[in-house]
Amino acid sequence: MSYIGRFAPSPTGPLHLGSLYAALASFLHAKAQQGKWLLRIDDLDTFRNVAGATQSIIDSLQVYGLYWDAPIFYQNQHLTSYHTVIKQFLEQNLAYPCSCSRKSLAKQPIYPGYCLKKQIDADAAHSLRIKTSDIKICFEDEIQGQHQHSLSAQHGDFIVKRKDNIIAYQLAVVVDDFRQNISHVVRGFDLLDSTPKQLFLQKILGYPSPAYCHIPVLIDQQGIKLSKQTFAQAISLDNPEQTLYLLLTLLKQNPPANLKTTSVENMIQWGIKNWHPSPLKKLRAINQGIY
Ligand code: GLU
């Protein structure tokens, strides 16, 4: 099987150290196996998209020597493919409309199925939920090991199309990973909990499942994940060599000291040649300030 990996940022802001960390890991993982690496812009959530963010992400990846092997894939240009799948779900009675408000579900971490048997007015705003079954989803994550989830008990009927008509992340990612023939998904540990839902959707759609590899997330001194929500600083483009060296260190690649004074291209080549993800095994988070 040929290796095709991807990095799929949401253009909700510039890349920060944590997102570049995930991008670098997925790039090195792909290139170390002579794979292709694709860039997908997860821009379906138009309410969260930030003007200029896509260009800023592209510029940062280029400055850091990460190159993609096919034209950039923009989710917004593929809306019909998601709607075709939604239509299929409805025709096959695999999904149902739900009019519950977020507020009414605030105390329910797992959707209790209120709308499963209700008649919903088709003209009123509603989301669509996929019917989950009481099956066990098992997968072997390359870094995090064996995982087993009971789908309906741990996840419940989850949303595939939101009330505001936006295709939910879980569905879009499955359709796109299939469409782009993604064989390996390398991303942050924070997305591990989404994996059983994605495996379930792949199963009912008859899609093959990629291999998964959830690398630790970077956290700050307070133990909080670096993210746009917590206002993690945009990555600096001024001294990429220094940041790249730090990222290789945070990826536990043990870069030699003399790599510090070399170019971005050399560092990336060294990273590909020496890539070994095993020191990250079972790690869920790494403190960015430890080096
Ligand atoms: N777009 C998602 C994010 O920025 C990542 C999607 C994925 O890797 O599955 O968090």
Side-chain angles (χ1 to χ4, degrees):
M1 185 178 64
S2 60
Y3 186 123
I4 305 182
R6 48 61 161 191
F7 176 53
S10 306
T12 50
L15 291 183
H16 51 77
L17 197 69
S19 40
L20 190 60
Y21 181 76
L24 180 62
S26 76
F27 177 88
L28 296 177
H29 202 68
K31 294 297 161 188
Q33 296 179 64
Q34 289 80 45
K36 287 200 167 108
W37 189 70
L38 310 183
L39 175 60
R40 182 167 81 222
I41 301 293
D42 281 2
D43 55 359
L44 286 183
D45 194 345
T46 42
F47 298 106
R48 289 184 63 225
N49 290 347
V50 168
T54 297
Q55 195 52 50
S56 148
I57 291 171
I58 292 172
D59 294 345
S60 306
L61 293 173
Q62 281 172 337
V63 166
Y64 280 87
L66 307 185
Y67 53 90
W68 43 98
D69 299 301
I72 302 174
F73 184 105
Y74 293 89
Q75 289 189 321
N76 255 320
Q77 294 172 0
H78 299 272
L79 292 177
T80 37
S81 62
Y82 314 119
H83 287 287
T84 306
V85 173
I86 290 283
K87 196 162 160 257
Q88 180 188 334
F89 283 161
L90 289 173
E91 280 165 5
Q92 297 177 349
N93 201 20
L94 295 171
Y96 61 93
C98 168
S99 59
C100 295
S101 66
R102 210 180 273 210
K103 207 167 148 205
S104 70
L105 299 174
K107 293 205 175 84
Q108 311 270 13
I110 312 289
Y111 183 65
Y114 293 145
C115 291
L116 181 59
K117 297 210 165 70
K118 249 199 241 165
Q119 205 52 17
I120 304 290
D121 174 6
D123 293 330
H126 61 265
S127 59
L128 284 177
R129 290 184 181 270
I130 196 85
K131 288 182 189 169
T132 53
S133 44
D134 192 19
I135 55 164
K136 296 244 179 303
I137 299 276
C138 305
F139 64 100
E140 175 76 34
D141 187 89
E142 191 181 334
I143 300 277
Q144 305 297 339
Q146 274 247 318
H147 279 261
Q148 183 175 312
H149 288 227
S150 166
L151 204 70
S152 32
Q154 286 175 268
H155 299 276
D157 295 349
F158 57 92
I159 290 180
V160 286
K161 190 172 88 168
R162 297 177 358 190
K163 230 182 204 171
D164 54 13
N165 262 326
I166 288 183
I167 300 294
Y169 157 72
Q170 305 296 355
L171 177 63
V173 76
V174 163
V175 172
D176 294 338
D177 284 343
F178 173 65
R179 208 186 157 108
Q180 296 189 289
N181 283 316
I182 300 301
S183 64
H184 290 72
V185 171
V186 179
R187 59 187 177 189
F189 178 76
D190 53 324
L191 288 167
L192 185 115
D193 199 52
S194 288
T195 308
K197 297 180 208 173
Q198 294 169 13
L199 288 165
F200 176 71
L201 290 176
Q202 288 152 5
K203 203 175 159 74
I204 58 175
L205 286 165
Y207 296 168
S209 295
Y212 288 94
C213 176
H214 288 87
I215 59 155
V217 292
L218 290 189
I219 51 171
D220 64 16
Q221 312 291 11
Q222 282 77 44
I224 297 170
K225 177 178 107 75
L226 303 192
S227 73
K228 289 160 209 161
Q229 285 80 5
T230 55
F231 307 107
Q233 256 186 9
I235 202 84
S236 161
L237 303 187
D238 288 340
N239 193 348
E241 295 82 4
Q242 194 185 336
T243 308
L244 206 46
Y245 189 85
L246 172 67
L247 288 172
L248 289 170
T249 310
L250 290 167
L251 282 169
K252 299 198 172 288
Q253 298 303 293
N254 210 4
N258 63 6
L259 203 68
K260 266 188 197 161
T261 50
T262 180
S263 65
V264 163
E265 289 70 28
N266 281 342
M267 283 192 188
I268 291 291
Q269 283 317 314
W270 182 91
I272 295 171
K273 211 163 142 225
N274 294 282
W275 175 247
H276 55 296
S278 49
L280 299 173
K281 268 214 183 322
K282 297 272 181 190
L283 292 177
R284 298 172 167 204
I286 289 189
N287 189 326
Q288 59 134 350
I290 53 171
Y291 297 104

